[in-house]
């Protein structure tokens, strides 16, 4: 009994520090994780992506949902949140199968880094992803089929390009797909429009790779 009492002054602070460390770890994880989708936030994604795009088979994706504002206006924000959450889960699973990871940039916009083998068929991959994302999703009140526009930029098409340039290429490709009513679009070897974010002049945008969260547009 005496030995137990003598050990208490040592054991209690140790338990306290362990609990405090666990609390801090959970807070840190929360700060780095989007609470709605469980995906990484922009800052955490940037840190990982800067390393991941050095791989010769890496590819960067940007996607956002078509008509998401209408979903919110028609079915309510709770249904909109369910759609964002469901799309995030589906994108995350698809990325993990391809040695990659995804993040939610904000609103209905997502990004990811994956690996595509040199002999991979990008059209087949993106068509499969598009179909997977748009599978019927039960929000509890209504079943919806989310539609996304996707831009893909492969490092093999832009040797030596950094994350900012790859994101810019994917961003431009995504908006080209959206404008043409396509599910996805590949980025070319160079950007077409000389704007800060690879978008047409007059279209709001952000430098997606390195800046803190910005206001997201409504799709």
């Amino acid at each position: 009994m005496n030995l137990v009492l003598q050990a208490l002054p040592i054991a209690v602070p140790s338990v306290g520090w362990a609990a405090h460390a666990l609390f801090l770890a959970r807070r840190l994880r929360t700060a780095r994780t989007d609470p709605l989708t469980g995906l990484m936030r922009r800052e955490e994604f940037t840190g990982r992506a800067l390393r991941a795009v050095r791989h010769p088979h890496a590819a960067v994706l940007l996607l956002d949902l078509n008509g998401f504002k209408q979903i919110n206006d028609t079915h309510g924000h709770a249904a909109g949140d369910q759609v964002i959450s469901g799309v995030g889960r589906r994108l995350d699973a698809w990325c993990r199968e391809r040695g990659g990871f995804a993040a939610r940039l904000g609103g209905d916009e997502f990004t990811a880094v994956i690996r595509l083998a040199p002999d991979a068929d990008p059209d087949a991959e993106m068509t499969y992803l598009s179909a997977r994302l748009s599978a019927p999703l039960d929000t509890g009140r209504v079943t919806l089929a989310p539609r996304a526009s996707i831009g893909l930029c492969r490092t093999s098409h832009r040797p030596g390009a950094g994350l900012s340039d790859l994101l810019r290429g994917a961003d431009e490709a995504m908006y080209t797909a959206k404008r043409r009513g396509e599910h996805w679009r590949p980025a070319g070897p160079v950007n077409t429009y000389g704007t800060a974010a690879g978008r047409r002049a007059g279209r709001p945008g952000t430098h997606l790779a390195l800046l803190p969260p910005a206001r997201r547009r409504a799709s």
Side-chain angles (χ1 to χ4, degrees):
M1 183 67 177
N2 289 336
L3 291 176
V4 173
L5 293 176
Q6 291 174 9
L8 280 176
I10 300 174
V12 171
S14 298
V15 172
W17 279 113
H20 184 62
L22 181 60
F23 171 74
L24 292 177
R26 287 177 176 173
R27 287 196 61 181
L28 182 60
R29 177 172 176 78
T30 300
R32 294 176 175 176
T33 303
D34 174 57
L36 189 57
T37 63
L39 298 178
M40 287 180 284
R41 289 184 174 179
R42 177 191 300 253
E43 295 82 356
E44 180 74 2
F45 171 82
T46 299
R48 287 191 61 181
L50 285 169
R51 299 186 296 271
V53 297
R54 297 172 188 167
H55 194 280
H57 301 159
V60 173
L61 282 78
L62 272 172
L63 68 90
D64 73 1
L65 302 182
N66 301 322
F68 182 69
K69 183 177 184 300
Q70 185 178 359
I71 291 176
N72 277 335
D73 292 346
T74 303
H75 304 290
H77 288 278
D81 286 350
Q82 288 292 323
V83 169
I84 292 293
S85 177
V87 168
R89 291 193 304 270
R90 292 170 178 179
L91 178 63
D92 182 54
W94 181 86
C95 289
R96 289 177 184 273
E97 293 167 3
R98 286 150 185 81
F101 52 91
R104 182 187 179 202
L105 293 176
D108 60 328
E109 193 165 31
F110 300 82
T111 187
V113 175
I114 61 168
R115 292 183 183 178
L116 288 179
D119 59 349
D121 181 352
D123 184 59
E125 291 283 357
M126 294 301 105
T127 299
Y128 174 67
L129 172 60
S130 178
R132 192 160 171 174
L133 295 178
S134 62
L137 194 157
D138 183 6
T139 67
R141 296 181 57 187
V142 63
T143 298
L144 300 170
R147 303 290 179 180
S149 295
I150 307 168
L152 173 72
C153 189
R154 303 176 72 172
T155 56
S156 58
H157 291 172
R158 298 192 178 192
L163 177 60
S164 293
D165 186 58
L166 295 169
L167 279 166
R168 180 176 173 179
D171 189 47
E172 182 176 288
M174 179 182 73
Y175 272 92
T176 301
K178 185 178 290 289
R179 189 172 64 252
R180 296 185 177 184
E182 301 170 341
H183 294 304
W184 82 283
R185 190 80 180 173
V190 295
N191 294 315
T192 302
Y193 305 114
T195 61
R199 306 178 182 184
R200 283 187 181 274
R203 184 185 294 279
T206 59
H207 205 302
L208 294 171
L210 302 175
L211 291 185
R215 290 183 304 171
R216 311 309 301 170
R217 66 195 173 282
S219 297

